[in-house]
Each structure stands twice: as C-alpha cells, then as structure tokens.
C-alpha cells in the first residue's frame, strides 16, 4: 500500500477544486469540483451552503483567488463538508471527514482517522492521505484537468478519486464534497 501511495503522489495533477470566484454582487464561492446536470457545486462563503451554479452563470463570474490545499481543507471542514465516496466491484460507500471514516461494505463501521494534506511544491496538487491506528489507509487526489470520476450514476461527477486499503482489501472509487 505504501508503494501505491508514493506512486500516486508523484504522478502530476493540476489543482482544480480550490478556486474562489465572485459574482457581480461580490458574493464569493469556493469551487468544490463536482458537476451534475450541467451545473457545478460551490461553497457559498457567506452562508456556508452548497450552491449549484450553471455554466452560463460561472462564465459571468471572475476568479479572484486560488487556495492552498491546507486552507481549502480548513474551509470545507469549518462548513461541515467532507468527502462522500463510493465504488463498485464490490459495492461500497464511505464518508471521510477530518477525523472519521464511516465505511460501509458488508456492515457500517466508524473508524477514527488522521489526515495528512499534501501540497506538492511542483504541481500544487490536492492530495490527502488518511490512516487509522488499526491499519486502515486511504488516499484522495484530484484528477488531471478535464477528467472526471464517475463510479456511480446517481452521484455527481467529481474531480476526486479515492483508494482505501480496508483490512487488506483495496477499494477504488470516486469522491465528491458534500455536507456531512
């Protein structure tokens, strides 16, 4: 598993879900990196809600900032947002927050985890690695520009993929940011 994590860390990615945009009313929105029905999800930085913004609305907005991975992760955590992950072959679901993995495979288990946010000095990738005291490891990373992960048709397409080593079995899937 450690070799897999190291390999994934050195593959080049671009940073996508950390841009801040403002609209004509000077309201700021943080991109969360998912699309569904022609809209993208954003964290409204004024009220902490998740808004879905159409492509035509986004074209009217101006990018005003880009956050480091650590600042991005702090903002989503403060607004009770975490990664919702899923995959198939076998089917599984997980919710990953700052300090907890809620994993559902054959049964639901809640595991305390530690997360390490990584920021590559070469590419500014968003990569997070998590682990537990009982040998559960995982990695979430952003995909290359224009690439989306779609493991489940009833979930939004996202720029994040996830790998979880859960009790010796590797689970691969997609993750999107949403309210916990």
């Amino acid at each position: 598993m450690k070799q897999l994590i190291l390999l994934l860390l050195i593959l080049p990615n671009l940073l996508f879900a950390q841009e801040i945009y403002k609209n004509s009313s000077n309201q700021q929105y943080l991109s969360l990196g998912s699309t569904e029905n022609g809209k993208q999800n954003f964290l409204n930085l004024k009220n902490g809600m998740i808004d879905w913004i159409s492509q035509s609305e986004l074209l009217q907005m101006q990018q005003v900032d880009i956050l480091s991975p650590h600042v991005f992760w702090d903002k989503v955590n403060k607004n009770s947002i975490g990664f919702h992950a899923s995959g198939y072959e076998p089917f599984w679901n997980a919710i990953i927050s700052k300090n907890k993995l809620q994993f559902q495979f054959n049964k639901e288990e809640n595991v305390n985890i530690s997360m390490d946010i990584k920021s590559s000095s070469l590419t500014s990738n968003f990569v997070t690695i998590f682990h537990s005291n009982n040998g559960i490891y995982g990695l979430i990373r952003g995909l290359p520009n224009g690439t989306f992960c779609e493991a489940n048709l009833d979930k939004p397409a996202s720029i994040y993929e996830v790998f979880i080593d859960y009790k010796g079995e590797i689970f691969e899937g997609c993750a999107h940011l949403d309210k916990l």
Side-chain angles (χ1 to χ4, degrees):
M1 181 63 187
K2 289 178 184 174
Q3 289 90 2
L4 174 64
I5 290 173
L6 289 174
L7 176 64
L8 291 172
L9 283 174
I10 61 174
L11 292 175
N13 289 304
L14 297 175
L15 178 66
F16 301 112
Q18 299 167 358
E19 299 93 352
I20 293 181
Y21 294 88
K22 73 175 180 178
N23 64 13
S24 59
S25 302
N26 286 324
Q27 175 55 51
Q28 292 191 347
Y29 294 90
L30 175 61
S31 175
L32 297 177
S34 294
T35 61
E36 188 172 53
N37 298 324
K39 295 184 176 185
Q40 296 180 31
N41 68 339
F42 290 83
L43 171 62
N44 183 319
L45 293 175
K46 183 177 182 179
N47 64 19
M49 301 300 294
I50 294 177
D51 294 336
W52 288 87
I53 297 176
S54 71
Q55 187 63 30
S56 61
E57 290 175 272
L58 183 57
L59 290 173
Q60 306 278 330
M61 297 169 74
Q62 175 185 7
Q63 183 179 336
V64 294
D65 201 0
I66 188 162
L67 302 180
S68 72
H70 291 296
V71 173
F72 172 71
W73 187 240
D74 287 344
K75 282 201 182 292
V76 297
N77 279 300
K78 286 178 185 171
N79 286 282
S80 299
I81 294 174
F83 284 102
H84 294 250
S86 62
Y88 55 92
E89 295 184 26
F91 290 102
W92 60 275
N93 291 296
I95 297 175
I96 305 155
S97 64
K98 177 173 73 172
N99 57 7
K100 184 189 246 181
L101 169 66
Q102 182 181 340
F103 190 80
Q104 186 168 0
F105 176 45
N106 291 326
K107 63 179 182 168
E108 184 175 306
E109 292 188 52
N110 292 303
V111 178
N112 292 328
I113 58 172
S114 296
M115 295 191 83
D116 297 312
I117 306 298
K118 302 297 178 191
S119 177
S120 168
S121 62
L122 298 175
T123 62
S124 299
N125 294 349
F126 177 84
V127 175
T128 184
I129 298 170
F130 57 91
H131 63 278
S132 71
N133 289 336
N134 57 347
I136 296 169
Y137 300 92
L139 177 134
I140 302 169
R141 71 177 187 140
L143 293 170
N145 190 11
T147 306
F148 289 93
C149 189
E150 298 180 79
N152 193 333
L153 294 177
D154 63 343
K155 306 280 187 208
S158 177
I159 63 167
Y160 298 104
E161 65 182 349
V162 61
F163 300 87
I164 301 174
D165 180 342
Y166 193 82
K167 299 181 179 179
E169 188 170 352
I170 303 292
F171 295 86
E172 180 181 2
C174 300
H176 68 278
L177 289 161
D178 205 344
K179 289 287 187 177
L180 296 172

